[in-house]
Amino acid sequence: MEAKKGMWVEIENTVLTPEERAPHLPEDTKRVPLKMWVRGFLIDEQARIGDEVMIKTLTDRLVKGTLVEVNPRHIHDFGNCVEELLISGYNVKKELSEVVKGAGDNE
């Protein structure tokens, strides 16, 4: 997809290569680069995915990186259901309801 100047885009940058990472990190962490993803408005006239571009963030920072997405979505997820929490929450709600009901009986 082609992006034009002013479009909302996401870029990727490598902050540290595996060789530059701290020695005290776990092995699986040390083996991969530390990357960052930044969103902002494209400064370049046009670009394609994979091009090196400059963006301006919502805080007016200018950041250079590789274009990875045009009009990126906000995707939030709380992960898979934790059955224990689901059951605990239900039980606590039920117990609180009984406590509140019992307090009303004493008045």
Side-chain angles (χ1 to χ4, degrees):
M1 179 175 199
E2 185 172 293
K4 296 187 185 303
K5 184 175 184 171
M7 289 181 79
W8 185 246
V9 297
E10 182 174 276
I11 62 170
E12 176 185 291
N13 260 329
T14 299
V15 178
L16 295 172
T17 65
E19 297 77 26
E20 296 170 323
R21 303 220 44 184
H24 68 280
L25 293 173
E27 284 302 319
D28 58 342
T29 303
K30 277 195 292 190
R31 278 186 263 136
V32 296
L34 176 63
K35 293 186 171 192
M36 72 172 189
W37 289 265
V38 182
R39 292 177 177 179
F41 299 101
L42 184 65
I43 298 295
D44 301 61
E45 289 299 322
Q46 60 184 18
R48 292 186 170 277
I49 302 295
D51 288 351
E52 197 74 17
V53 298
M54 181 75 75
I55 65 168
K56 185 174 188 177
T57 69
L58 289 175
T59 57
D60 287 336
R61 289 185 308 134
L62 294 175
V63 184
K64 189 176 181 181
T66 303
L67 181 64
V68 292
E69 193 169 352
V70 178
N71 292 323
R73 294 175 41 201
H74 291 282
I75 302 170
H76 296 85
D77 189 325
F78 295 102
N80 295 328
C81 174
V82 179
E83 188 176 347
E84 293 83 359
L85 293 176
L86 190 65
I87 293 169
S88 295
Y90 177 80
N91 289 338
V92 167
K93 185 177 177 183
K94 189 175 179 182
E95 287 178 25
L96 284 173
S97 174
E98 290 172 7
V99 168
V100 169
K101 182 180 175 186
D105 292 343
N106 293 334
E107 291 179 7

